[in-house]
Amino acid sequence: STLGMISYTEFVKQSRDAKRKGDLENIRGALEMYKSKNNTYPLTGEVVVGSNLCDPAPGGCGQGTYIQKIPGDPKSTTYTYYYSSTGVDYTIGAYLEQASTSSCGNCSLGPAVTCNYCMGPYGQL
């Protein structure tokens, strides 16, 4: 029964990590569509978990919505996905439960938690 519990726990971690990677891919796709129309990526404070990603004012979401609700981490409400942008480039990141302990630059998700999986417009950084 101990072996079964360990296997189940590992499966659950793998499932959450797959969801995190899928969420980041969806966010990345929305960011690329946003840039193709607006010639810039949204700035850091303009991408908020739980909100829409829409065209900038005027018109906002009436002009175009790229993602209905930016997802959050499937396990933790303490931290969410990381997003940082200068408008020219961006980094999105997450903490994977089954990844190396390496970090992705200054990608911080909260106290003592750093991203170990990051993406930019050209793939994983």
Side-chain angles (χ1 to χ4, degrees), residues 40-64:
T40 184
Y41 293 108
L43 298 175
T44 300
E46 297 174 332
V47 176
V48 179
V49 168
S51 68
N52 297 336
L53 178 57
C54 303
D55 277 331
C61 286
Q63 294 297 107

Side-chain angles (χ1 to χ4, degrees), residues 4-101:
M5 185 60 165
I6 292 170
S7 295
Y8 175 76
T9 302
E10 294 303 310
F11 173 75
V12 170
K13 287 179 183 179
Q14 286 176 352
S15 296
R16 285 191 298 253
D17 284 349
K19 169 114 173 63
R20 290 176 181 105
K21 289 178 180 181
D23 286 348
L24 292 185
E25 284 294 339
N26 289 337
I27 294 168
R28 182 168 69 168
L31 291 170
E32 296 301 334
M33 287 188 296
Y34 181 101
K35 183 176 189 242
S36 72
K37 184 171 182 190
N38 298 292
N39 297 316
T40 184
Y41 293 108
L43 298 175
T44 300
E46 297 174 332
V47 176
V48 179
V49 168
S51 68
N52 297 336
L53 178 57
C54 303
D55 277 331
C61 286
Q63 294 297 107
T65 301
Y66 303 99
I67 193 167
Q68 286 293 327
K69 181 180 176 190
I70 297 172
D73 188 87
K75 180 180 178 188
S76 177
T77 56
T78 306
Y79 58 87
T80 58
Y81 298 133
Y82 174 86
Y83 176 74
S84 178
S85 175
T86 61
V88 176
D89 206 350
Y90 69 86
T91 300
I92 53 177
Y95 176 78
L96 300 183
E97 295 175 73
Q98 294 192 313
S100 68
T101 57

Side-chain angles (χ1 to χ4, degrees), residues 105-117:
N106 65 352
C107 180
S108 176
L109 297 168
V113 179
T114 58
C115 302
N116 57 13
Y117 185 80

